[in-house]
Amino acid sequence: MNGINQLPSTKIIKPKVLYYGTSVILLTTLNEDQTVNISPLSSSWALGNYIILGIAAGGKALENLQRHPECVINIPNASLWGNVEKIASYTGKDPVPDYKEKLGFTYQKEKYLHSELTPIPSQSIKPTRIAECPLQIEAKVKQVRIPDYSTHFAIVETEAIHVHAHKDMIIGENHIDPNQWNPLIYNFRHYFGLGKELGKTYRSEI
């Protein structure tokens, strides 16, 4: 074995969360009174023009999507982590569900006001876009599924209808400049950009 590096050893652990580094999104959905709710999410992935969202069951976002199947997937950059955290402990659900209350959530309808973010009209759907987010994806819901193996969340399949991007990060007509794109990453309940840690959420235990 001389001259050969030994492989790292491992240990089985039981982490409370498996947010191992995913992009934060701010999902805007339509309330029953035509106002807009903002929900920070950290579970999503894209395949072609389809974006799959993982959304907690019993919350306002899922309720809104089941009633009005449109949304905007707003993707903030790292500089907006403080705005995201300002609404991290709020829910648009009134009364607050018991499980959310135990996690420290309180009711707040005016999330645009509290996040200090700016609503702008979408092109084809009712929920508004968030002006400060460099990427804003108008989407329509194709399917909502609550898996039988866990009823605590829903898998929401959406189709992108329009993609809006800040002009300063576009190359040519349709390409995003990766050198200008610095997404906000949720990394085991801490906020990161493509670099050093920026801060942590109120629920972080370390």
Side-chain angles (χ1 to χ4, degrees):
M1 297 294 291
N2 290 340
I4 299 177
N5 292 330
Q6 290 187 352
L7 296 175
S9 60
T10 61
K11 176 184 176 181
I12 294 176
I13 63 172
K14 296 180 179 180
K16 287 187 177 181
V17 294
L18 285 176
Y19 294 122
Y20 45 78
T22 53
S23 296
V24 173
I25 67 171
L26 293 173
L27 188 74
T28 49
T29 58
L30 197 69
N31 294 322
E32 58 272 17
D33 62 359
Q34 304 299 297
T35 60
V36 172
N37 184 63
I38 304 175
S39 301
L41 301 180
S42 56
S43 298
S44 70
W45 62 281
L47 183 63
N49 288 328
Y50 299 92
I51 300 175
I52 315 303
L53 309 173
I55 301 178
K60 193 63 176 179
L62 183 58
E63 175 189 305
N64 284 350
L65 290 176
Q66 290 174 322
R67 184 189 62 258
H68 185 88
E70 297 179 339
C71 60
V72 182
I73 299 163
N74 301 276
I75 308 177
N77 60 19
S79 68
L80 296 175
W81 81 269
N83 303 81
V84 174
E85 183 60 17
K86 285 178 180 178
I87 57 172
S89 62
Y90 289 139
T91 177
K93 188 83 168 178
D94 184 26
V96 179
D98 289 342
Y99 80 95
K100 285 202 166 189
E101 189 171 24
K102 291 177 182 178
L103 293 172
F105 282 83
T106 56
Y107 171 68
Q108 180 52 250
K109 184 177 181 179
E110 303 297 333
K111 292 186 182 178
Y112 268 115
L113 177 64
H114 284 267
S115 65
E116 299 180 357
L117 295 170
T118 309
I120 53 176
S122 295
Q123 181 169 317
S124 299
I125 64 175
K126 289 186 176 181
T128 50
R129 297 179 285 134
I130 298 176
E132 290 83 358
C133 290
L135 286 176
Q136 308 146 15
I137 304 171
E138 296 182 40
K140 293 191 175 183
V141 174
K142 304 296 289 184
Q143 178 174 273
V144 176
R145 182 170 66 89
I146 297 178
D148 53 11
Y149 52 81
S150 177
T151 59
H152 301 298
F153 63 88
I155 299 169
V156 180
E157 301 175 22
T158 72
E159 181 180 11
I161 305 301
H162 300 295
V163 178
H164 305 260
H166 285 185
K167 290 182 178 179
D168 60 3
M169 56 183 283
I170 300 174
I171 297 177
E173 290 296 320
N174 295 300
H175 291 88
I176 301 298
D177 184 352
N179 291 307
Q180 299 299 321
W181 178 223
N182 184 21
L184 178 60
I185 303 297
Y186 198 51
N187 181 4
F188 286 102
R189 289 184 176 160
H190 290 243
Y191 296 112
F192 283 79
L194 299 181
K196 65 180 183 179
E197 180 183 350
L198 300 166
K200 61 184 179 181
T201 185
Y202 80 105
R203 291 183 60 195
S204 174
E205 296 178 1
I206 58 172

